[in-house]
Structures are given as C-alpha cells and as structure tokens.
Amino acid sequence: MNLLILLIIPFLTAIGILAVNGLKQVRTVAFIGSMIQLCLSFYLLNQYHIAKELGDASLMLFEQNYPWFPSMGVYFHIGVDGISISMIILTALVVVAGVLVSYGMEQLHKEFFFLLILLSLGAYGFFISLDLFTLFFFLEVAVIPKFLLIGIWGSGPKERSAMKLALMLMGGSAMIFIGLIGVYFYSNEVGARTFDMLALAKNGISKEAQLFFFPFAFAGFGAFTALFPFHTWVPDGHSSAPTAASMFLAGISMKLGGYGCLRVATFLMPQAAEYYAPVIILLATIAIIYGAFATMMQTDLKYINAYSSISHCGFVLLGIGMLTKVSITGAVMQMVSHGLMTALFFAAIGMMYSRTHTRLVAQLGGLLKVMPFISSIFIIAGLCSLGLPGFSGFVSEMTIFVGAWQNPNIWYRLATILSCASIVVTAVYILRAAGSSVMGPIKDNHFLKLEDALWNEKLAAVVLLSGIVVIGIAPFLLTDLLSPGTDIIMEQLLK
Amino acid sequence: MSSITTILLIPGLPLLAFLMLGIFGNSSSWLKNLAGIIATTFMAISCLLSVQTAINYFVTADLAEKGFAPIILFKYNWLSFGSGVSIDMGALLDPISAMMLVVVTFISLMVHVFSLGYMKGEERFATYYAFLGLFTFSMLGLILSSNIFQIYIFWELVGVSSFLLIGYYFAKPSAVAAAKKAFIVTRFADLGFLIGILTLGFYGESFDFQTLIQRFTDHQSPQFLAISAASFMGITALSWGLMLVFMGGAGKSAMFPLHIWLPDAMEGPTPVSALIHAATMVVAGVYLVARLFPIFAISDQAALDVVAFIGILSALFAAIIAFTQTDIKRVLAFSTMSQIGFMMFALGVSNYGGENGAGFSASLFHLFTHAFFKSLLFLGAGAIIHMVHSNNMDDMGGLRKHMPITHISFLIACLAISGIPPFAGFFSKEAILHAAHASSPITYYLALFTSMLTAFYMFRLYFNIFWSSEAKPMHNAHGEGTWSMKIPLIILGLLSIVVGFIPFSHYVSSDGKSLETHLDLMFSILPVSLAAAGILFAAYLYKNKNEKPAQIAQNLGGIFSLVKQKFYIDEIYLFITHKIIFNLIGRPAAWIDKHIVDGFYTLTATTTEEFSSTIKGWQSGNLQSYALYFLASVLGLAILIIYALI
Amino acid sequence: MPIGLTHVIILSTALFFIGVYGFFTRRNLITILMSIELMLNSVNINFVAFNKYLYPQNIDGIFFSIFIITIAAAEAAVAIAIIINLYRSHNSIDVEEANEMKY
C-alpha cells in the first residue's frame, strides 16, 4: 500500500475546500474527504494484518524513502507499524467527528475547515514519518493552524489563550529541535550523518550525549503531552478553542507528544530513558494526582475536561516511564482511548454549550430531561473517563497499572498506588460535574425549549463511541496490533 | 442446549433487554409499552435456565460423593499481560455460584414482576427496565467470574448500575447526591480492591481464581514463599493483598466504616432497594470472601479474624441504630447491614474443611434465606409506601385492615428474620450461632445479643406499621396494589417458610464435600427464647400507641440522639472530604497551578515585555544619542584593535 | 623651538574633539554643521602633517585633503538643503525637535 495516499487525500480535501463556496458545500467536501481518509486507515489496518500473516517480520511496513536534502542526510522516509496505525485510525476517527460537530460553523467556514484539514495533514504525516526531519516538519505544520483556530473562532479570552498555546508549543518544538540536533551529531554512525530513525536506533548514540539531550527531547515532546510543569497551556487553550479544535487538540495533538516521547526520546536514547525514568515517573505521578485534584475545584465544564486531560495524559507518561513491555503497551492504549474519550467529551460539552450558552456547572442542571441524547453521551464519556469496564479507559488504565506494578522498587510501587488512587478522585469530579449539570432539577426555564442533537452530532458521537466500545469489549484487537511495535522498543531498552 | 450456551444465555438475556430497551426504549412507543413484559419474560427464561443449571450441577452431576468440584465452562483470553498473566473471561460453576445464580435470577424476576405494577405510569418506564437488565447482567457476570480481574470488571459494572438506579429520579437533588455517594464510597473501596488484585496477581503470577487458590494454599509453592517473604511495614504481602481485597468487599457490602452509602441509597425506587440493596449487590462482598475463602482460611488466619471482627461490629452497630430510625426503608437498610455483618462474621469464625468449615456453610445459608425474606420485606415496604405515600412510620398505623396480603407476608418475613422456627431464618441463624459457639464464646454471646436486638427492632417496625394507632381513612382508591404487586409477596412469603428446610450444607461447604446438617434442639432454646422476649417487649412498647417509647427516648437523652444521628459518622465523612480534602488539597492544587506554575510562564512573558521596552528606549530618534553610541563603539573597537585584543 | 609632528597632531586632535563636543551638545543644526566642518578640517591638518613630516617626497596626503575639502563642500550643501526642508516642516532648526524616527 502506498502510504503517500494518506497525505494526498487530506491535501486534496484542503484544495477542494478552497475551491468551493458556501457552508453546505464546504462542509460536505470536508466530510467526504475525512470519511475517505477513515476508510483508507481501516484499509491500511487490513493490509497490515495481511502482510503480518504472510510472515512479514520487518520493523516497519510499507516503507518509502525519497531523498530530500541528501547532503544533510535528510530523506522523506515514511513507514508504519502497529503503534502508528492505531494512532492513524485515532486521528481519522477524531477528524471525522470534529468535522461533523462543526456543521453549524457559520463564521468564515471555508478557512475553518481548511485549517482543520491542514491540522490533520500534519498529524498523519507525523505518525508515518521515519526520518527525524520529516517528523519535525509535520509537527510544525500543525502549530500555526492551532493558533489561528483558537484565536479566531474561539470563545472567552481567545487571543491570549491562542498566543499562550502557540508560544508554549513552539518552546516545546525548540527543545525538541535541540534534542534532534544532538541525536544527529552524536550518533555512532558509519559514513555520512543521517536523520533516519531506524539507522540511528541501530547505530546508537553515545551515552554522554544521550544523557544531555534526552531531557530536551523528552521535555519538548512532553510539553505537547502536558508533562508537569509544561502543562499550563492546556486549560486555557482547550477551553477557549472551538469544539472541533478542542477535540483535535486534546484528542490528537496531545498524542503527538506521547508518540514522540516513545518513538524519538525512548526509542533512540534508551539508556538515558532508564537513567531519567525516576524523574519521568515522579512528574507523571504529579500530573495524575495534582491534575485530578485541580480538576475537582473547577467550575467550567471545559476546564474540568482540560485538567482531566492533563491527569489522563499523565497515565501515558507513567506507562512510558515504567519501561516494561506491558506498561508501554498500556501507554499506547491510553493514548488511543483517551483521544477518543476526550474528543467525545468535548463534543458533548460543545453541543451543550451551543444550546445553553453557558459552560458553568452551577448554571446548568436537569439537561437529561431536555436533551436526553446529548446528556447520555456526556454521562457515557464521563463513565469512560473514570475507567468503567466496557469502555476503553478501563483496559488501558489497568494495563498500565499491571505493567507498573511489575517494578518491585518501593518508590515505583508508591507512585503506582497514588496513580490508582486517582480513580477515586476522577469519580468524584466526574460525578460532581454530571450530577450538577445533567441531573438534578432544571435551573433555567429557558432550557426547556432546547432541542436535542441533530443528525450530524449524533453521527459524530456514534463514531467516537463505537471506537471506545470496540476497544473496551475486545481489547485483544488492540493489544495484538501493538505487540510487535512495543517489542521493537523493548529490544532497544534491553540492549 | 449445551452448557456453554446456557451459561451464556443466563446473563446474556438481561444484557439483551438492557441494549434493546436502553437504546430504543424511549423512542419507540410499542417498545415502551411492552418494556416491562419483555424484560420480565427474558428474566423468567434466565431464571429457568439458572434453576436447570443448578439442578444439573447439584443433583445429576453425580458429584455428591466426591465433593462438588468447580467446573470451568469456558475461558477466553481477553487481555494478555504476557508470561501467562492475563485477564480471561470465563465462567466458573461451583456450589456457591450455582446457588447464587438461582438467588439472583429469582429475586430479580420477583422484582421485575413487582415493578410492573409499582412503576406503572412512569415516564421513563423502559429505561428503568433497561437498568434492571444491566444490573442483573452485571451481577450474574460477577457470580460466574473465574478470574479476579473479571470479577473486578463486573464489580464496577454493578456499581454503575446501582448509581443509575439510585439516581433514577434524577430531578431530585437528594437522589443524585445519594447516587454519587454510593458510587464514590464504593469506588474508594474498589481502590483497595484493585491494589489487592495487583499484589496478589504479581506474586501469584496469575489472575485466575483457581490458580491463585492452588498456589497460595500450597505452602511449598514458589509463589506462596515469595508472597510471604515480601512484607511492608511488618505485614506480609499476602495479608495486605487479602485485606485490601476485603476492603473492596466491605465497601460493596456496607460494612463499618464504609457503610454510609447504604441508608442514603434508599432514595431509589423501592423495588430497586429490594433487588440491589437487600439481596444481591450488597452480598457481593460476602461472595468475594467466600470465593477466596481457602486462601483466607488456610494461609492467613489473621485476615480472617479481621473479617470476623468487622462483621460482628457492623452487625451490632447497625442493630443499635435501627432502633431509632423512623423511616421504614432506613430501618430495613440497617437491618440489611446487620444481617450481612452476620454473614461476614460467620465466614470469619469458620475454618476450612469438614466440620471446621461449618461457618462457611452457615454464612452462605443465611445469604440464601436472607435474600428471600429481605426482598419480601422491601417489596412489602414498597406496597405500603405506594399506599400511604410516605416513608415515615409515624404516618402509618393499623394498616393490617387495609392491606391483608402485605400484612401476612410482612409478618412471615419478620418472624423469619427474627429466627423463629419453623421459618427460614431460624435454620440459617442457628447454623451461624452454632459455628460461633464452636469458635469462641464471646463472639457467640455478641451474636446472640444482636439476634435479640434484631427481633426487637423488626417487630418495632411491624407493630408501628400494622398495629399501633387505628387506621386513618384512606383517601386513595387504588387499594393494596395490583396483582403484579401481590404475587411476588405471596411467592416470597411461601418461600420464606419453606427454604429453611433445604439441607444446605449438604450442597455448599468450604471444601465442596457434603456436611451433615443436624439440628441441636437444646442449643436452639436460648436463641429462640431471647428472640421471643424481644418480640414481646416490642409488642409491649408498640402494639398500642402509648407514651412509653417517647419517655424512654427522653430518659436516654444524649445517647438516643447520638444513635439516631447514626453516631455522626456521615458528618465525620463530610468533614473529612469537604473541609480537609477539598480545602487542604484540592483548592491549593488549583491555586498552585493557576498562580505558581502558570505564574512562572506569565512571569517570563512579562519579563520579556519589560526587557523589550527597555531596549526600545534606545531607539530614541535623537540624532545626538545615535552619534554618541557610534563614537563610543568606534573608540572601543579602536582600543581593542590597537592593544591587540582582537 | 622647532615645531614637530607631535605639536601639529595635538592641535588637530584638540580641534577634532572640539568638533565632537560641539556636535554632541549644540542644539542648533547650523552649529552642528559647523562642528562637522571643524572635524573634517582637523582631519585635513592631520593628513597634511603626516605627509610633510613622515613622507615628504610623496604628495598623497595633500591630494587626500583636497578630496576632503571638495566632499565637505558638497556635504555642506546637502546638509543645508536638509536643514531648510526640516525648517519648512518643523518651523525650527533645533535638533531635538527632529526625533520622529523612534520606536
């Protein structure tokens, strides 16, 4: 299968959006483009399984390598493995849902959908890159559209949030770049220097260089994934963003960081990862617990979800930090699960906000009677967030806990126990939010006239929910997909 | 029908009801009208299949001589963690699961039938039956679990079904609060359960029940040696694991001090209370300890002592509080807590194997009989509340004239719970007291005392509802309730008389081998006479309305109000959560995040701004300043070059 | 006492820094122009002195100073034109009035 088609389709969709006029046409083009991309990603999954069954044991499948700046060792090298495919499917699902939820976007609709598709292009390219320069290129493609989406179509203090998000993410990118340059110059290669990830992994990097550059790379990617203390762009950024942008930001953009932490920082610099593991675990545990407690005190639904994302992405980092095969598998599962779940949550909140025009929990109430579908989706997303079995959150969190418990070190055990304790705090804040906003008596009589979800919003919710439920009920599908990929990473760590 | 299909259908039918009614129930009108009938039919089929399975297992499987061994009906590798450790979805059929299948499906069927009349006219009728289906599915899955993580999965699902059902009247803030409280308290207990699972799974190198039991009861196995060697703060990892798992069970079973959610859970519809908070969900903790009983009894006696202690403490605690409550559902809730305390405590004093395991059989026998008469009491209470439109005892009185069927069945249930022969409760309580007597005298006397209290407060309840004052004229014309409400009462009443005669320990015992049940009539004289004394004292105080109860309450003064406020435990919890956790941890966390961590970034932003406006000043537009900078630089460069510094 | 190179250099340096001082402290643009001329002339003296004392057989320095005189004259003309335009827009030839090219 030619992976370039995963990049060409969004590109063509973007061109198509620019070519047509009118909200209906623009959104239809966007929807069709993202649906084609979703079908393609499932086709890719199918091809991957077929290839694996035929006995293809190579590290990365469907590789393509084109020279870009050969004198500097930069090639356009793309390929996938199980981890990449799961992230691509996640991106496709969230983009389809995001496009559907934005069907009512009247203001500057052409630019809005164009930027959304451009963002997705950046994400797809990031996940299939096997060359560091290509990876960084696609990462940067995604930053400016985020800034514009929040700054123009957002709500609340949007300009300030957009600026803060853009500056902090660019700071993260700068740190990533330092890490990449370090890897480039200090690799133990034979012959010309290269940015190619597989070659760098095979040759290895000198230990002193690893110890110096790993913090930069990890912290840089960590800034994308809300590593404490680089997480403060999350609350304002997510809350001021329009619904589809929030879904994309929380669902996919934060996973760019997690994927980078795993593929770039840990895969290329394994000895440094082991050395810094206690620090990573400490910061991840702080993010989990402190994020959960900070969420309890929030009064705005979007802030609740944003801080909750900090807490859940802490699980991803905990899984990566524990450096066992099970915990890393759990980390990737949590990336997929949280991406779908938080997109669903933001979609539900966005639907509620567009009708009630308030996000404050204190002003909402009794919506279950008025908008049963939206309220049920809200409750389901909340239940997934608190790790209810039957949804994907449970399997990913349990995998991380079991994997983390495999480390007999008493401090690691303590970190795992504290992270487990967060399930209680999560239950508290989710039920407080749901209980006050969706259940309870109706606080404002204007709410009685509100209407329930439209067909596009229902479809968006169903798309995301099916992903969550499939993984929740049949987790073996995901773990089998991820297993060869995590094996590769563990091999590096054991060298 | 193969056994695998049967065992999949038993929980599968309620799940199907949930999916059908939950997704389409409110949108399709014919489905809404038939919701009750459909759900009840599915439940009836499931009940029949359960009874068939149980009969197959106990009678025709020909296991009586060798002992009832567990049968694994299927196992599917669901989530693998590598090297043999995995969460498998499986069905384990052994004496306790076969027994529980019958209990859960039957009581659920009774509740389904009762609700046809009780919940008639509710707007969200279909959703109610959907949630009942979800609960029954989860509970059946819990019973059949062969893997400790699998039981945790269904444990959580049962918790969420309970949340949905308690919060059924979601427009009432008190119902929402009660649902939240139930979920959060049990979640906290589940945290202990989870850590216990992780510990036991790590050292036992498996999550499968049979494997864990086999490894931890064999004192030579490497896993047992590893888990006994590892210790934290002086307690072995095995004890920690078992204690934490018990914490999970204690939360679900409303043992002290995790009991605070149970009285509030009465906010849900009364049939829900009958199903969940009387007969099925709350006994899940007892079931869990029974599942792991071999490990408790053979390898860790200290943990079993803790179980016994918590059990008897909860039983006594709840019995005392039940004296003072005036809401009939709350009396029944505390009564449930007390009876479950009995069950826990019976497990705690039991040993493993043969005659020593009598406590185990007694506990599960009591679980079995209690399901019948407690659900009968709750359904009766539902009928009463339906008629009187109030939960409070003071609004009732003399109802025996208006509700004859309810009256007789309620009386039967009260006699059963007080342990009067020949009703069911007598046999099960005797078995427990017998086991207690065999183990230690002090537990026996405490249990005896608690039994007497049980008889007293139950008959206080009975007399206050059905005797006491003369009946007020009833305004509502719908009388005692429809036939759908009366039939379950009659059936359960009859069963409460009959099930005591089943030779339970023949089928269910700690090691699977049958025990002979014998009735020691001399032994029974003391408990029965104490119970009768309790009943007579209650009659003296409450049969006719008089001033004596009020006077006693006044004489006891402070103690009475302390007990009536449930020993202020709820207030302590609220204090800890609101004042301490929210104010000392939550608020500072949010504040630190906004002002210190975020403040650091805002500081960098403002510093950059300050710096930049300072430098901005150098571009003053003033010709002479520019010239000065120019001159200074030239001179500086000149000095550097001349003195060969560059 | 014969007048040596040092004496002439001292004279030209003094003249230069007087010109610098005048450039930095005077407010009137014409005066600033005069200071610039002073600086240029001091440089002229320097060139001629070096030429006469160090390399008497060459005439490079003298040629250089003729160039400087020419350019100074041209530059003075341009400067006066700028000052006249500045006067037309600001109605003043105070150098501190002409500070719009700032942040």
Side-chain angles (χ1 to χ4, degrees), chain B residues 517-533:
Chain B
T517 34
H518 35 225
L519 209 48
D520 190 350
L521 284 171
M522 294 306 293
F523 181 78
S524 316
I525 292 181
L526 184 55
V528 173
S529 35
L530 281 177

Side-chain angles (χ1 to χ4, degrees), chain B residues 310-568:
Chain B
I310 299 279
I312 194 68
L313 177 63
S314 311
L316 196 52
F317 178 81
I320 296 178
I321 296 185
F323 272 37
T324 58
Q325 301 300 309
T326 52
D327 179 329
I328 62 173
K329 283 179 80 171
R330 292 227 171 8
V331 174
L332 291 176
F334 281 107
S335 160
T336 307
M337 181 180 163
S338 182
Q339 297 305 309
I340 297 175
F342 264 98
M343 296 175 214
M344 280 293 188
F345 140 77
L347 278 177
V349 298
S350 171
N351 269 317
Y352 185 79
E355 276 300 322
N356 296 336
F360 181 88
S361 307
S363 165
L364 289 162
F365 191 22
H366 197 57
L367 195 160
F368 183 70
T369 55
H370 173 262
F372 292 101
F373 51 72
K374 192 40 82 57
S375 53
L376 175 56
L377 282 168
F378 267 107
L379 290 181
I384 295 169
I385 295 173
H386 192 76
M387 172 162 230
V388 179
H389 291 297
S390 155
N391 284 14
N392 203 316
M393 255 195 254
D394 302 329
D395 297 335
M396 305 172 191
L399 285 179
R400 68 188 182 286
K401 301 229 176 77
H402 293 274
M403 317 177 74
I405 297 183
T406 315
H407 174 218
I408 301 296
S409 49
F410 205 88
L411 180 59
I412 294 176
C414 286
L415 287 170
I417 201 173
S418 308
I420 304 292
F423 298 100
F426 163 69
F427 294 96
S428 51
K429 274 212 173 150
E430 280 320 293
I432 292 183
L433 290 171
H434 206 86
H437 185 78
S439 131
S440 83
I442 191 157
T443 42
Y444 171 66
Y445 288 118
L446 280 174
L448 204 55
F449 180 61
T450 315
S451 291
M452 184 177 76
L453 294 182
T454 310
F456 175 71
Y457 70 69
M458 284 311 296
F459 274 90
R460 167 181 176 258
L461 181 68
Y462 167 75
F463 284 120
N464 264 323
I465 298 176
F466 293 104
W467 295 79
S468 188
S469 54
E470 270 318 302
K472 308 175 191 45
M474 288 288 134
H475 305 289
N476 30 16
H478 52 67
E480 200 178 344
T482 63
W483 272 106
S484 82
M485 286 166 63
K486 289 184 198 157
I487 293 179
L489 294 178
I490 300 175
I491 298 181
L492 287 171
L494 287 170
L495 285 171
S496 299
I497 305 176
V498 164
V499 291
F501 292 101
I502 298 179
F504 202 77
S505 50
H506 183 71
Y507 296 109
V508 177
S509 70
S510 54
D511 54 358
K513 301 191 180 45
S514 313
L515 282 179
E516 282 306 312
T517 34
H518 35 225
L519 209 48
D520 190 350
L521 284 171
M522 294 306 293
F523 181 78
S524 316
I525 292 181
L526 184 55
V528 173
S529 35
L530 281 177
I535 298 176
L536 288 173
F537 189 51
Y540 167 66
L541 282 182
Y542 297 105
K543 182 147 182 253
N544 300 308
K545 205 169 179 71
N546 55 32
E547 286 308 309
K548 293 182 222 105
Q551 263 181 341
I552 300 179
Q554 217 170 5
N555 291 343
L556 288 174
I559 301 181
F560 186 81
S561 57
L562 174 69
V563 174
K564 186 155 184 185
Q565 290 301 326
K566 304 170 233 149
F567 292 94
Y568 293 107

Side-chain angles (χ1 to χ4, degrees), chain A residues 177-255:
Chain A
F177 194 65
I178 296 175
L180 295 187
I181 293 293
V183 165
Y184 179 71
F185 279 112
Y186 289 97
S187 62
N188 308 330
E189 90 305 346
V190 286
R193 297 200 178 279
T194 174
F195 274 109
D196 185 277
M197 280 204 278
L198 297 177
L200 286 168
K202 200 156 56 163
N203 297 326
I205 299 164
S206 71
K207 181 142 189 229
E208 300 72 36
Q210 277 192 33
L211 290 179
F212 184 74
F213 288 105
F214 180 86
F216 285 103
F218 200 88
F221 280 114
F224 278 83
T225 257
L227 174 71
F228 182 91
F230 304 108
H231 64 280
T232 56
W233 59 272
V234 173
D236 289 321
H238 287 174
S239 311
S240 306
T243 310
S246 300
M247 288 163 71
F248 192 91
L249 265 177
I252 299 169
S253 180
M254 285 174 93
K255 314 302 173 276

Side-chain angles (χ1 to χ4, degrees), chain A residues 160 164 168 228-232 235-236 290 293-294 296-298 307 326 333 366 368-369 379 383 386-389 394-395 398-399 401-402 405-408 410 413 416-417 420-421 423-424 427-428 431-432 435-436 438-441 472-476 479, chain B residues 76-83 85 87 123-124 149 152-154 156-157 160 163-164 167-168 170-173 176 179-180 183-184 187-188 190-191 194-195 198-200 202-203 207 232 578 581-583 585-590 592-594 597-598 601-602:
Chain A
R160 188 164 186 278
K164 189 162 161 186
M168 285 184 77
F228 182 91
F230 304 108
H231 64 280
T232 56
D236 289 321
Y290 157 92
F293 275 109
M296 270 208 306
M297 294 291 115
Q298 301 302 319
Y307 273 102
V326 181
M333 287 170 79
L368 193 53
K369 207 186 274 277
I379 295 180
L383 291 175
L386 57 84
L388 190 72
F394 174 78
V395 292
M398 291 301 132
T399 313
F401 289 147
V402 173
W405 200 260
Q406 286 173 348
N407 255 316
I410 188 73
R413 286 272 162 88
T416 315
I417 292 179
C420 291
I423 63 174
V424 184
V428 172
L431 291 183
R432 258 153 71 98
S436 306
V438 161
M439 301 166 100
I473 298 187
F476 42 86
T479 46
Chain B
Y76 183 74
N77 189 319
W78 190 68
L79 181 60
S80 173
F81 300 124
S83 61
V85 178
I87 304 181
E123 199 189 309
R124 292 162 59 226
F149 238 124
Y152 181 78
I153 291 176
F154 285 105
E156 294 279 322
L157 285 175
V160 105
F163 169 78
L164 291 170
Y168 179 72
F170 62 80
K172 261 174 52 175
V176 176
K180 275 196 302 192
F183 194 80
I184 293 174
R187 224 332 128 108
F188 177 69
D190 292 348
L191 171 64
L194 179 63
I195 299 179
L198 290 174
T199 313
L200 290 176
F202 177 74
Y203 288 104
F207 285 121
F232 178 69
H578 282 207
I581 296 185
F582 282 11
N583 277 348
I585 305 183
R587 258 180 237 294
I592 290 177
D593 198 66
K594 199 167 165 67
V597 184
D598 203 24
Y601 293 104
T602 320

Side-chain angles (χ1 to χ4, degrees), chain A residues 74-129:
Chain A
V74 173
Y75 289 77
F76 188 80
H77 189 181
I78 52 181
V80 288
D81 73 343
I83 301 180
S84 321
I85 294 184
S86 57
M87 302 307 291
I88 289 174
I89 296 182
L90 166 70
T91 311
L93 286 170
V94 174
V95 169
V96 168
V99 165
L100 282 170
V101 161
S102 311
Y103 256 38
M105 179 61 67
E106 296 284 344
Q107 174 199 7
L108 294 173
H109 40 264
K110 200 147 114 162
E111 288 79 2
F112 181 82
F113 281 102
F114 176 74
L115 287 172
L116 208 56
I117 301 294
L118 195 61
L119 264 184
S120 70
L121 177 68
Y124 289 122
F126 184 87
F127 289 128
I128 62 177
S129 306

